[in-house]
Amino acid sequence: MDSKPLVDRSHAPSLVPKLVFSGLHFVILLFCAWLVYGDGLTVLGKDWFFTDLFRAKILLGCAVIYWLRHVLTLFYLLQRRVDWGEVFGLLGFFALFEVGLLLVGGGIFRTFPVALGGLDVLAALVFVFGSYLNSFSEIQRKWWKAHPENKGHCYTGGLFKHSMHINFFGDVVLFSGWALLSANLWMLGLPVLMAGMFIFMHIPALDRYLAGRYGVEFQDYARRTKKLIPFIY
């Protein structure tokens, strides 16, 4: 017996959950902005301050870009149902990495700033490239699906010709860049964990759904295309 899918892929507007999702995500973003532009954070009677304020502002910029892309996804790209469990589960994850990377990268746990260098430039480019892979691949598919003659067919063009789940790969890439911008290599555990969840949970569940929906068309696509990482896996 097939396991229960991780998300409900039936088409539905889900306007109220989407509004709540984007709104509460914006609250997380406002909290991040308050941390950066406020007077510090007091926890259990101890005052905490950013020692690397400029880096914190860069990380806040990443969070702003991510929120904008999230809104684009919810209200333009996403056609499937969004249920409340998904909303609150992902909000917890968003809060963990957006606030966590900001606190670590902003230097709230260290007494000195880390000077920006070549690695940070590379990290920023990786973040932008991953964001492009994730969002533009979805936009290409959206445009293709808008043509009536493509209804009921599996999209295999654009960026998706390089990887069956190039949008997921984009997430791993952008989070790798975001983590590197925190100037703490331990934060790379975040994209590693994300890649593991994609490989062992989300991709198998999605592939079962796509195989059932598109049949031989999807099977042919799967045989000739890497699953996640272009040219590798």
Side-chain angles (χ1 to χ4, degrees):
M1 181 181 295
D2 289 341
S3 58
K4 183 179 178 181
L6 296 175
V7 296
D8 185 348
R9 299 195 177 275
S10 59
H11 287 194
S14 303
L15 182 59
V16 173
K18 288 179 180 180
L19 286 170
V20 172
F21 198 179
S22 59
L24 290 180
H25 189 185
F26 187 66
V27 171
I28 296 172
L29 185 62
L30 288 178
F31 179 69
C32 290
W34 175 77
L35 288 174
V36 173
Y37 293 101
D39 296 323
L41 180 66
T42 301
V43 179
L44 299 177
K46 180 176 174 57
D47 294 329
W48 301 84
F49 300 94
F50 287 131
T51 60
D52 207 339
L53 189 57
F54 187 68
R55 185 177 294 275
K57 291 178 180 179
I58 293 174
L59 290 164
L60 176 62
C62 291
V64 171
I65 293 171
Y66 192 76
W67 179 80
L68 291 172
R69 291 180 49 251
H70 184 214
V71 171
L72 173 71
T73 298
L74 285 176
F75 296 103
Y76 177 65
L77 297 172
L78 199 64
Q79 297 187 54
R80 65 168 177 79
R81 181 185 304 277
V82 175
D83 61 34
W84 291 109
E86 181 182 3
V87 168
F88 292 109
L90 285 177
L91 280 171
F93 180 66
F94 289 175
L96 177 66
F97 73 73
E98 290 183 5
V99 177
L101 288 175
L102 180 65
L103 293 177
V104 172
I108 205 167
F109 303 116
R110 60 177 183 260
T111 58
F112 57 90
V114 176
L116 295 174
L119 182 60
D120 296 296
V121 174
L122 176 62
L125 292 175
V126 168
F127 174 83
V128 171
F129 181 60
S131 300
Y132 159 77
L133 288 178
N134 181 276
S135 290
F136 192 62
S137 63
E138 298 275 12
I139 290 170
Q140 287 179 312
R141 179 165 58 188
K142 174 82 172 181
W143 291 344
W144 186 85
K145 289 281 190 179
H147 294 283
E149 64 270 20
N150 295 328
K151 185 177 181 180
H153 292 286
C154 181
Y155 178 60
T156 63
L159 292 169
F160 278 97
K161 69 184 177 184
H162 303 295
S163 162
M164 293 168 59
H165 303 284
I166 194 70
N167 50 341
F168 291 167
F169 178 64
D171 266 340
V172 174
V173 171
L174 80 88
F175 276 100
S176 297
W178 200 342
L180 283 172
L181 282 169
S182 72
N184 187 314
L185 293 180
W186 287 105
M187 294 298 100
L188 287 173
L190 175 65
V192 171
L193 175 62
M194 178 178 289
M197 292 178 65
F198 283 146
I199 291 170
F200 297 109
M201 295 175 59
H202 293 280
I203 288 177
L206 179 54
D207 283 357
R208 286 193 297 271
Y209 166 80
L210 294 173
R213 181 176 176 84
Y214 297 112
V216 174
E217 194 173 336
F218 174 76
Q219 294 170 13
D220 290 342
Y221 175 50
R223 276 195 294 268
R224 67 176 187 270
T225 312
K226 297 299 183 183
K227 193 172 291 289
L228 180 65
I229 306 173
F231 311 111
I232 298 175
Y233 169 76

